[in-house]
Amino acid sequence: MRFILSAVLLCAASLFTGCSEPLACTEIFIPAVSVTVKDAQGNVLKDARVTYSLDGAAMKDASCINSEMGGGCAQWSTPDQPGDYLVRATSSDGSRTAEQRLQVDGDECHAIGQSMTLTLR
């Protein structure tokens, strides 16, 4: 009984002093933004190019996270970093473009991932 009471008192004391166990972050990749590109009819465009800018920096190529057999990419991602994103999709022939801004928050370890669909018209 004394052991249980001591444990409870130690836990309560840590709440009031602000002490806590150090946070152990995982190494799991969580994209800040997952992007799907579609045409005006709602079909996934697997040959589009997706780029992004983080906090106003130069545009970079997004990574393919869902490649299709026979080539192409059904879903793209940005790094696991919070910030202000500008995401742009361009058709393979360069004739159609869509873009969207998105603010991504984060916790102590990762970005809080969000998804978006860009429609090329």
Side-chain angles (χ1 to χ4, degrees):
M1 182 68 176
R2 277 191 166 167
F3 174 74
I4 294 173
L5 181 58
S6 296
V8 169
L9 288 175
L10 283 173
C11 288
S14 69
L15 291 174
F16 293 112
T17 62
C19 297
S20 63
E21 292 294 317
L23 183 64
C25 294
T26 65
E27 293 187 24
I28 297 171
F29 174 76
I30 300 173
V33 184
S34 296
V35 183
T36 302
V37 182
K38 294 186 176 184
D39 65 15
Q41 291 74 40
N43 302 308
V44 174
L45 293 176
K46 299 172 190 154
D47 60 351
R49 178 176 183 224
V50 177
T51 57
Y52 69 92
S53 170
L54 176 58
D55 295 328
M59 296 296 277
K60 295 182 179 182
D61 289 330
S63 299
C64 180
I65 58 172
N66 185 359
S67 59
E68 297 286 318
M69 289 185 67
C73 186
Q75 192 171 28
W76 302 84
S77 73
T78 65
D80 182 4
Q81 293 179 286
D84 179 37
Y85 282 84
L86 171 64
V87 181
R88 180 178 298 143
T90 306
S91 61
S92 60
D93 65 2
S95 66
R96 297 172 289 157
T97 301
E99 64 183 32
Q100 182 177 337
R101 285 198 177 278
L102 185 64
Q103 179 64 42
V104 177
D105 296 325
D107 60 21
E108 295 83 5
C109 299
H110 299 285
I112 300 171
Q114 299 187 41
S115 296
M116 75 167 55
T117 299
L118 295 174
T119 303
L120 301 182
R121 300 186 191 280

